[in-house]
Amino acid sequence: MKFAMRPARPDDADAVMRIILARSAWLEERGMPSWRDSAEKLAALTSSDDGSTYLLEADGQPVGCTTATDSTPPMAWTAEELAQPSLYLYSTITDPAVRGANPGAIIALWAVDRAAREEKLWVRRGCRFPGLVSYYERQGFTLIHEMQKTHGPMYLMGRRAERIADLENVFNGDRAPLV
């Protein structure tokens, strides 16, 4: 499979909805909370004027989405951390049909490289489940803060921005995104 990242467009909403519902069904089959209740809201981000929603395509077909912004939500980050230029990833969702290709890791590498090209220091993200913490750690992220929210724990993670020399090989399917 050949992959590409591109900004989402309003006409991508149906494809993003399909990805979200497929991932939601996969999560629900495993007894885990899903994105189902937020599907319409997340798919609507394809119409956002700020250009922060991106699609991952495999062989020209949407297989993942993420939102990447320049602002880190304050939560448990320190004032010093918030002052550091960072790219923050929200709502990274991938189609379970292409799980074997590690599309989430491809999106993460894209973000790490993009942050470095934009002279940012970090890529940051948050998640609610220990299983995701482990997955993100395999992508090179480090758990920086853990906080308690109304609906349970929130894990805040970061990875230093860096150029990924062989990112093109990952996107061409010549190198696995997780080594």
Side-chain angles (χ1 to χ4, degrees), residues 53 72 74 90 118 145 178:
T53 301
T72 298
Y90 294 89
E118 294 177 357
H145 299 287
L178 294 175

Side-chain angles (χ1 to χ4, degrees), residues 59-71:
D59 297 331
Q61 298 302 310
V63 296
C65 58
T66 196
T67 300
T69 67
D70 293 333
S71 60

Side-chain angles (χ1 to χ4, degrees), residues 95-170:
D95 189 333
V98 294
R99 256 183 96 227
N102 289 301
I106 293 171
I107 291 171
L109 287 176
W110 165 83
V112 168
D113 186 78
R114 175 185 164 173
R117 284 185 283 110
E118 294 177 357
E119 299 182 357
K120 294 179 177 15
L121 299 177
W122 293 94
V123 174
R124 294 187 172 132
R125 64 188 334 160
C127 65
R128 295 192 169 273
F129 306 103
L132 274 177
V133 170
S134 297
Y135 178 61
Y136 293 152
E137 286 174 337
R138 289 192 308 275
Q139 295 175 6
F141 286 83
T142 300
L143 179 61
I144 298 173
H145 299 287
E146 184 176 339
M147 64 182 288
Q148 193 62 36
K149 301 270 292 185
T150 306
H151 299 290
M154 173 68 87
Y155 305 98
L156 303 176
M157 304 188 75
R159 178 175 170 175
R160 285 261 181 209
E162 64 178 300
R163 293 301 309 265
I164 307 298
D166 60 348
L167 187 60
E168 186 176 326
N169 292 329
V170 172

Side-chain angles (χ1 to χ4, degrees), residues 9-111:
R9 302 180 300 257
D11 63 344
D12 291 320
D14 288 343
V16 169
M17 180 69 82
R18 179 190 55 74
I19 292 164
I20 295 167
L21 294 178
R23 177 55 68 182
S24 293
W26 186 91
L27 290 164
E28 291 159 358
E29 288 168 7
R30 287 154 182 80
M32 297 172 11
S34 78
W35 297 93
R36 189 172 304 280
D37 291 342
S38 302
E40 286 186 32
K41 178 181 168 188
L42 292 168
L45 293 175
T46 60
S47 296
S48 176
D49 290 337
D50 67 4
S52 61
T53 301
Y54 293 84
L55 287 188
L56 175 68
E57 295 180 329
D59 297 331
Q61 298 302 310
V63 296
C65 58
T66 196
T67 300
T69 67
D70 293 333
S71 60
T72 298
M75 292 191 267
W77 300 100
T78 67
E80 181 183 330
E81 290 166 337
L82 290 170
Q84 298 167 335
S86 302
L87 188 66
Y88 198 89
L89 293 183
Y90 294 89
S91 308
T92 301
I93 305 168
T94 61
D95 189 333
V98 294
R99 256 183 96 227
N102 289 301
I106 293 171
I107 291 171
L109 287 176
W110 165 83

